[in-house]
Amino acid sequence: MTNFLSFTGRVMGIEDFPIVQNNPQSGCYKLFSLTNRDGSIVNFVVEPTTYFVDHVKVKVGDIVTGFYDANAPAPLIYPPQYRAIVMAEDNPNYFVTVSFFNSQLLSSDGNLKLNLSRQTEIILENSQDFNGNPANRNLVVIYGATTRSIPAQTTPYKIIVLC
């Protein structure tokens, strides 16, 4: 089970991130530098497998949230540098959460419970339909209003299953 954490900030820079010198993969990896309102900085390594919600093209100046595995090894440097698993551009029309959801569709932090409906679109990262049960999986959840209960409950617009 992946322990997802996130950092939201304005993109201050995007540059190529060389993995190995003279590598054919050169240019396939990017380093996104984000700064939040408090002035904290985080760098995200964006790989070819990083999932971008709505397949947006992020540019300098955009406000984005990077989701990463808190249990993955990270270099002890400043600013901190994490491998981005999911990136989501700030959107006033919906919220995005990335988490492991158990058999009751409760997020691993216990803060969000999903109530599926027939209108909830459930897809894979490649935008193909997912026909199985989304429970007990890592999910990207796109949703709107929630209840004020604990945990908050929502009927998501879309779920992306991270296989």
Side-chain angles (χ1 to χ4, degrees), residues 28-48:
C28 294
Y29 292 77
K30 302 288 183 189
L31 189 69
F32 282 37
S33 296
L34 276 59
T35 303
N36 70 7
R37 292 180 184 189
D38 298 331
S40 298
I41 301 169
V42 167
N43 289 333
F44 282 104
V45 176
V46 176
E47 303 176 349

Side-chain angles (χ1 to χ4, degrees), residues 11-136:
V11 178
M12 302 308 286
I14 300 173
E15 56 189 62
D16 285 342
F17 184 74
I19 303 283
V20 177
Q21 295 292 21
N22 301 321
N23 184 335
Q25 294 268 347
S26 180
C28 294
Y29 292 77
K30 302 288 183 189
L31 189 69
F32 282 37
S33 296
L34 276 59
T35 303
N36 70 7
R37 292 180 184 189
D38 298 331
S40 298
I41 301 169
V42 167
N43 289 333
F44 282 104
V45 176
V46 176
E47 303 176 349
T49 57
T50 301
Y51 180 76
F52 282 78
V53 174
D54 290 336
H55 304 288
V56 297
K57 181 178 179 183
V58 174
K59 59 190 177 311
V60 172
D62 291 345
I63 297 174
V64 298
T65 300
F67 296 89
Y68 61 96
D69 182 355
N71 295 332
L76 293 174
I77 58 174
Y78 182 82
Q81 180 174 294
Y82 304 112
R83 179 180 157 256
I85 298 172
V86 175
M87 296 292 285
E89 187 174 25
D90 187 44
N91 189 313
N93 298 317
Y94 58 74
F95 302 100
V96 177
T97 292
V98 181
S99 185
F100 177 84
F101 285 82
N102 68 16
S103 61
Q104 304 301 311
L105 293 176
L106 179 66
S107 64
S108 60
D109 63 7
N111 289 332
L112 187 64
K113 168 97 170 66
L114 306 181
N115 299 315
L116 303 183
S117 77
R118 291 184 182 169
Q119 286 72 40
T120 301
E121 181 182 14
I122 304 175
I123 61 173
L124 297 168
E125 294 170 84
N126 62 9
S127 299
Q128 300 307 302
D129 289 336
F130 177 78
N131 297 319
N133 184 347
N136 294 312

